[in-house]
């Protein structure tokens, strides 16, 4: 089947495009991480231990371990299809409104004491919608960012995917910390935990306003026939598998270094929770600054050198780096920052690499489903795998697990054709 190539020109205002994608993405991830940072307060109000109802702990487990990550592939497929069939801007508008609505729903969720079993049901529904939104956001914003870039700038624009994600995470952490340190325990339990979610809903309206002024990067109405829901998987199975292979090691390393490492240091090196969180925050800020540098390097020298720098670097250094973590704050900060440098070889260009694999007709859905599925399988389970190894008395195996998966992804990178200097299919 021959792909139909549209003649859509590059946007006249690329910086405005970059702002529309980045602001919206930061808001999306602020809402997603706010739940993570405030989960203990939510659990106390929505899933009380003494409820005496066997369905409550079941729903709690379902919400925490399954709903968030495993709705993301569905979101990637559905919102990716919207982006391919209705346009990238339409999908970006839907995802940010969906995230804003689900964030407001979390903020307004009744307590178990007030509504009984309805409370956890409402919260699970909100997390379903959040997972759907986040999965769709990556599919739509990836294609939008890369298609908005001028010649020789796709890597640079791609890097803002993780710049904005990290900013959203840092804002969520800062808002949560401010509330916890300002309000009393009773106030946090009563209403304080709701504030970040209502604030997130308001931020989503701001993101929606920004995105309304963005220029569409590809007009699907020029196609004689719009792509079917599973067309990307059916006609491009090799490309779909490539996305999985490219992403597996990267998502495991990303969630290990950005989310799980503070907990790993607490469990295995005896570092205090305060020091672990401070090291994590500082390294995340450092990580955000590195992303545009990685993107520009890839535009100059290609995608493969950076991917191999990441993959082989983690394959060789994951074990020694994690063994270097002692009981000191400095050791953790050094290891986290060193890992962030290596990780930038993947994160700064993953959006560009993914977008350059698929033709424009099915680019968003083609990226969204396999990417989000791989993140759910390997990234979302990273903390649980680390904890599992610890519980069975073999915590030293977790670094080898990270190294092995990064080595397998490196084999994919070796066979990947260089795409940095090719014209992007539009």
């Amino acid at each position: 089947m021959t792909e139909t190539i549209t003649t859509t020109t590059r946007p006249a205002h690329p910086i405005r495009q970059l702002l529309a994608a980045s602001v919206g993405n930061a808001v999306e991830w602020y809402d997603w991480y706010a739940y993570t940072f405030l989960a203990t307060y939510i659990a106390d109000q929505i899933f009380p231990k003494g409820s005496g109802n066997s369905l409550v702990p079941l729903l709690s487990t379902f919400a925490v371990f399954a709903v968030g990550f495993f709705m993301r592939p569905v979101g990637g497929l559905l919102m990716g299809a919207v982006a391919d069939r209705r346009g990238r801007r339409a999908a970006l508008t839907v995802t940010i409104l969906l995230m804003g609505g689900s964030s407001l729903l979390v903020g307004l969720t009744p307590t178990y004491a007030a509504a009984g079993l309805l409370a956890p049901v409402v919260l699970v529904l909100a997390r379903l919608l959040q997972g759907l939104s986040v999965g769709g956001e990556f599919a739509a914003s990836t294609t939008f960012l890369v298609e908005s870039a001028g010649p020789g700038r796709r890597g640079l624009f791609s890097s803002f995917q993780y710049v904005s994600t990290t900013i959203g995470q840092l804002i969520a952490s800062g808002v949560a910390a401010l509330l916890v340190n300002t309000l009393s325990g009773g106030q946090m339990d009563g209403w304080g935990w709701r504030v970040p979610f209502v604030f997130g809903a308001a931020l989503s309206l701001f993101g929606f306003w920004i995105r309304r002024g963005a220029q569409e990067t590809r007009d699907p109405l020029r196609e004689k026939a719009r792509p079917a829901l599973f067309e990307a998987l059916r006609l491009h199975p090799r490309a779909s598998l490539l996305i999985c292979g490219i992403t597996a090691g990267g998502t495991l390393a990303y969630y290990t270094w950005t989310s799980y490492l503070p907990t790993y240091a607490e469990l295995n090196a005896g570092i205090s929770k305060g020091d672990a969180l401070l090291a994590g925050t500082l390294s995340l800020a450092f990580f955000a600054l590195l992303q545009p540098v990685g993107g520009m390097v890839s535009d100059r020298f290609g995608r493969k050198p950076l991917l191999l720098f990441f993959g082989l670097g983690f394959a060789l250094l994951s074990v020694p780096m994690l063994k270097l973590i002692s009981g000191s704050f400095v050791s953790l900060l050094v290891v986290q920052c060193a890992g962030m440098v290596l990780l930038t070889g993947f994160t700064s260009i993953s959006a560009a690499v993914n977008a350059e694999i698929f033709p424009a007709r099915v680019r968003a859905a083609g990226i969204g489903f396999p990417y989000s599925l791989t993140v759910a399988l390997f990234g979302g389970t990273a903390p649980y795998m680390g904890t599992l190894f610890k519980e069975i008395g073999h915590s030293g195996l977790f670094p080898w697990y990270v190294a092995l998966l990064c080595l397998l992804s490196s084999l994919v990178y070796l066979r990947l054709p260089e795409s940095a200097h090719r014209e992007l299919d539009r």
Side-chain angles (χ1 to χ4, degrees):
M1 181 178 175
T2 303
E3 294 290 343
T4 303
I5 308 299
T6 67
T7 57
T8 303
T9 58
R10 293 185 184 90
H13 302 286
I15 301 302
R16 182 185 299 169
Q17 300 289 97
L18 192 63
L19 182 65
S22 298
V23 170
N25 197 47
V27 171
E28 286 265 353
W29 285 97
Y30 163 85
D31 287 337
W32 176 264
Y33 280 114
Y35 180 91
T36 304
F37 293 128
L38 296 165
T40 55
Y41 294 98
I42 296 171
D44 288 341
Q45 299 300 311
I46 310 300
F47 304 111
K49 295 177 182 178
S51 65
N53 190 320
S54 62
L55 284 178
V56 173
L58 177 62
L59 282 171
S60 176
T61 302
F62 177 60
V64 174
F65 293 105
V67 169
F69 274 99
F70 285 94
M71 277 304 291
R72 287 170 65 169
V74 180
L77 180 63
L78 295 180
M79 291 299 103
V82 171
D84 289 332
R85 293 168 64 88
R86 300 289 181 180
R88 318 309 192 202
R89 191 176 66 173
L92 288 172
T93 300
V94 172
T95 58
I96 199 163
L97 289 178
L98 193 61
M99 181 57 84
S102 57
S103 181
L104 184 61
L105 190 58
V106 173
L108 298 179
T109 299
T111 64
Y112 187 87
L117 190 59
L118 179 63
V121 169
V122 170
L123 186 64
V124 168
L125 175 61
R127 288 298 282 175
L128 277 168
L129 295 175
Q130 283 191 323
L132 197 71
S133 175
V134 167
E137 174 69 17
F138 185 88
S141 64
T142 290
T143 53
F144 182 83
L145 272 172
V146 177
E147 290 172 353
S148 295
R153 295 290 185 91
R154 292 200 300 265
L156 175 61
F157 272 52
S158 165
S159 70
F160 279 85
Q161 183 77 31
Y162 277 91
V163 171
S164 53
T165 297
T166 305
I167 289 173
Q169 185 174 358
L170 288 170
I171 294 174
S173 174
V175 169
L178 178 64
L179 288 170
V180 169
N181 288 299
T182 303
L183 301 179
S184 67
Q187 289 173 322
M188 279 300 299
D189 287 332
W191 55 268
W193 65 269
R194 301 179 185 274
V195 173
F197 300 104
V198 177
F199 178 57
L203 285 178
S204 296
L205 292 177
F206 173 69
F208 168 73
W209 176 73
I210 292 287
R211 285 183 167 180
R212 283 194 64 191
Q215 182 180 337
E216 181 57 70
T217 59
R218 183 174 182 273
D219 184 6
L221 296 178
R222 298 188 182 192
E223 301 274 359
K224 290 184 178 179
R226 294 178 184 177
L229 183 62
F230 293 100
E231 184 174 318
L233 290 171
R234 182 168 52 86
L235 297 182
H236 305 280
R238 182 178 180 275
S240 298
L241 289 174
L242 266 180
I243 296 289
C244 295
I246 290 166
T247 306
T251 189
L252 175 59
Y254 173 76
Y255 280 98
T256 297
W257 247 256
T258 63
S259 299
Y260 179 60
L261 202 58
T263 303
Y264 179 89
E266 290 177 52
L267 292 175
N268 296 281
I271 290 180
S272 70
K273 187 174 184 66
D275 282 350
L277 290 175
L278 177 59
T281 301
L282 292 174
S283 64
L284 277 174
F286 175 62
F287 177 68
L289 295 174
L290 288 175
Q291 300 312 295
V293 177
M296 288 188 288
V297 169
S298 80
D299 284 331
R300 178 75 180 273
F301 299 105
R303 316 294 188 221
K304 285 184 68 172
L306 266 76
L307 289 172
L308 289 169
F309 168 74
F310 152 72
L312 295 176
F314 264 96
L316 295 172
L317 298 175
S318 291
V319 175
M321 280 196 299
L322 291 178
K323 284 186 175 180
L324 281 174
I325 299 176
S326 64
S328 73
F329 167 79
V330 173
S331 70
L332 176 58
L333 182 62
V334 168
V335 168
Q336 279 207 277
C337 288
M340 295 304 191
V341 173
L342 293 175
L343 189 57
T344 296
F346 168 78
T347 53
S348 64
I349 58 171
S350 64
V353 172
N354 291 342
E356 289 160 355
I357 288 174
F358 277 96
R361 175 179 168 83
V362 293
R363 181 171 289 140
I367 293 170
F369 181 72
Y371 174 86
S372 296
L373 180 63
T374 308
V375 170
L377 291 175
F378 296 105
T381 59
Y384 312 125
M385 290 300 294
T387 304
L388 176 63
F389 284 125
K390 176 70 175 178
E391 287 179 352
I392 63 176
H394 295 286
S395 58
L397 291 179
F398 181 70
W400 289 102
Y401 170 61
V402 176
L404 177 61
L405 207 58
C406 288
L407 178 61
L408 292 176
S409 282
S410 295
L411 298 178
V412 177
Y413 304 151
L414 281 169
R415 298 182 60 84
L416 198 65
E418 182 56 69
S419 57
H421 307 299
R422 293 196 320 226
E423 186 69 22
L424 186 70
D425 171 41
R426 293 177 183 273

